[in-house]
Amino acid sequence: MTVLDTRALNRATLARQSLLARADLPVLDAVAHLGGMQAQEPQEPFVGLWSRLRAFAPSALSDLLTERRVVRTHLMRRTVHLVTADDVLAWRTRHDAMLRGRVLGTYRRELEGVDLDELAAAGRAVMSDGEPRSMSELARAVAGRWPDSAPRALGEMLVAALIPMVQLPPRGLWRTRAGVRNLPLSAWLGRDVDPPPPPGSDPVGQALVRRYLAAYGPAASADLRAWCGLAGLPAAVAAVRDELVTFRDERGRELLDLPDAPRPDPETPAPVRFLPAFDNAVLGYQDRGRIIDDVHRGLSVAGARVTLIDGRVAATWTVEEGTVTVTPLRRCSAAEHAAVAEEGRALASFLSDGDSDRVRITESAAA
């Protein structure tokens, strides 16, 4: 079986993620291809799309949110994701058990004695008036029935797990600060989420396998699980295995892939790219070694914005008053320094609507 080394996997990931060359895709198609974008920080997806798409206009994403074609909702890994309306309606039911389990893993003691079906019914009754609510408002509205339970736990369980919700605009719009106001997905989209499939079938699981590999492959089953948070996908993998090709990584893990998906020459040059906080190009794997060194792995879960140099996380970046500041994690060559400065100036211009192209590169953190 062919062994793919770390560099080969890196270039495949960059190609699938439109980070090797910016894509000429409509924003809706890009969000769909990526299987959603992690978005608990509302402005971060704009940078993620700017780094992936040619001539990206922030208004295009804002319009998709206000037009109800893209939504902000809890989904993969129980984190807030930006997902197309079609995908969330198709996928949400498949994530129900995982979402409940993850909230219970945090609040099991606080929710002891609470019948979750009764809690869901109470929450739906409150939301049936069509009024958006914050999580705390919804929690207070039902808390009287469970006076011994922490309102925060009741609210988290309702908003993140029991009732498929959407975070309404203006939250998530370009250059807009707004609190979270929740409404059931069915009320916002005018369509109900898809019901569970017949017992013994898992069409959504099979679709998730294909979609994940298209955007993240080649990858192991453990990587797929790390991306979506679903543990029950072995049967889905088995069902589509005949459609797939297999490889090994340098650790000996079996890697699955779509036969016609791009796997570029490992020596393909990779441009400098700036990624937002919590980007799934880094988080979407159990083994993130293809894109980030183990010594820096903590950055990917701490909310650091990172810069890819030669395809790997090699710097962090911040922006303040129109200036993008880049802090390398290793020594950079003169050519790398120039490439970081050039892309940093473009990012500063994007973030400031053309008012600034200032970039500052600090001393290497490893110096």
Side-chain angles (χ1 to χ4, degrees):
M1 189 178 295
T2 301
V3 174
L4 299 178
D5 63 18
T6 299
R7 191 174 176 91
L9 293 175
N10 174 268
R11 293 313 194 250
T13 292
L14 297 181
R16 313 289 172 92
Q17 290 282 312
S18 299
L19 294 169
L20 205 55
R22 283 183 166 95
D24 289 313
L25 279 178
V27 172
L28 183 68
D29 293 351
V31 174
H33 170 73
L34 295 169
M37 303 180 72
Q38 188 151 323
Q40 68 261 45
E41 297 293 339
Q43 295 296 300
E44 298 302 296
F46 291 94
V47 174
L49 289 168
W50 174 81
S51 288
R52 290 173 165 92
L53 301 179
R54 289 192 182 94
F56 169 65
S59 60
L61 178 56
S62 291
D63 289 347
L64 288 172
L65 284 160
T66 57
E67 292 167 1
R68 312 187 187 200
R69 300 172 70 194
V70 165
V71 299
R72 293 172 48 82
T73 187
H74 289 87
L75 201 63
M76 281 75 76
R77 307 187 299 275
R78 198 198 133 203
T79 54
V80 176
H81 271 69
L82 198 70
V83 191
T84 70
D86 287 343
D87 280 346
V88 73
L89 292 172
W91 295 355
R92 182 51 167 79
T93 299
R94 184 63 177 81
H95 287 72
D96 280 353
M98 178 273 292
L99 293 169
R100 289 190 182 204
R102 293 209 171 195
V103 178
L104 280 175
T106 302
Y107 295 109
R108 190 173 301 278
R109 180 175 297 177
E110 292 88 339
L111 292 170
E112 187 174 357
V114 175
D115 184 297
L116 296 185
D117 290 337
E118 289 183 13
L119 177 60
R124 290 193 186 95
V126 172
M127 298 301 297
S128 65
D129 62 5
E131 290 296 319
R133 288 177 173 82
S134 68
M135 184 180 73
S136 59
E137 288 171 341
L138 177 56
R140 287 195 299 270
V142 302
R145 293 184 58 177
W146 293 277
D148 296 329
S149 298
R152 172 80 185 191
L154 297 172
E156 286 270 4
M157 179 58 80
L158 283 168
V159 169
L162 295 182
I163 303 175
M165 293 279 202
V166 58
Q167 296 185 355
L168 297 187
R171 188 166 179 84
L173 302 185
W174 178 238
R175 297 189 174 285
T176 302
R177 292 179 177 271
V180 177
R181 307 290 290 174
N182 301 288
L183 197 68
L185 272 167
S186 56
W188 180 245
L189 297 179
R191 293 181 284 165
D192 290 327
V193 298
D194 290 355
S201 65
D202 188 9
V204 173
Q206 294 171 30
L208 287 170
V209 173
R210 298 184 188 99
R211 294 280 294 277
Y212 176 74
L213 294 177
Y216 297 88
S221 294
D223 297 319
L224 167 66
R225 185 167 62 249
W227 168 70
C228 63
L230 300 176
L233 288 174
V237 171
V240 302
R241 182 174 283 274
D242 287 348
E243 304 173 19
L244 308 178
V245 292
T246 56
F247 304 94
R248 296 277 179 195
D249 65 13
E250 293 176 301
R251 295 169 48 192
R253 300 189 312 162
E254 182 187 56
L255 304 176
L256 307 171
D257 205 6
L258 303 174
D260 298 326
R263 289 179 288 276
D265 186 313
E267 298 309 312
T268 302
V272 169
R273 289 290 184 260
F274 286 81
L275 295 184
F278 307 114
D279 195 286
N280 277 340
V282 181
L283 291 184
Y285 299 95
Q286 185 273 330
D287 181 358
R288 299 172 190 163
R290 70 179 65 195
I291 200 166
I292 188 170
D293 295 341
D294 284 345
V295 68
H296 302 312
R297 184 182 173 108
L299 295 172
S300 61
V301 295
R305 295 159 163 171
V306 299
T307 306
L308 303 183
I309 304 175
D310 192 26
R312 299 188 62 77
V313 172
T316 60
W317 67 275
T318 59
V319 62
E320 187 173 354
E321 296 181 351
T323 299
V324 170
T325 299
V326 183
T327 302
L329 299 170
R330 60 167 175 80
R331 294 185 183 277
C332 295
S333 68
E336 289 173 334
H337 190 285
V340 169
E342 180 180 9
E343 187 73 358
R345 284 191 291 270
L347 176 62
S349 180
F350 167 73
L351 293 173
S352 67
D353 291 332
D355 289 341
S356 168
D357 65 354
R358 294 188 300 272
V359 61
R360 183 171 72 95
I361 303 176
T362 69
E363 288 290 325
S364 167

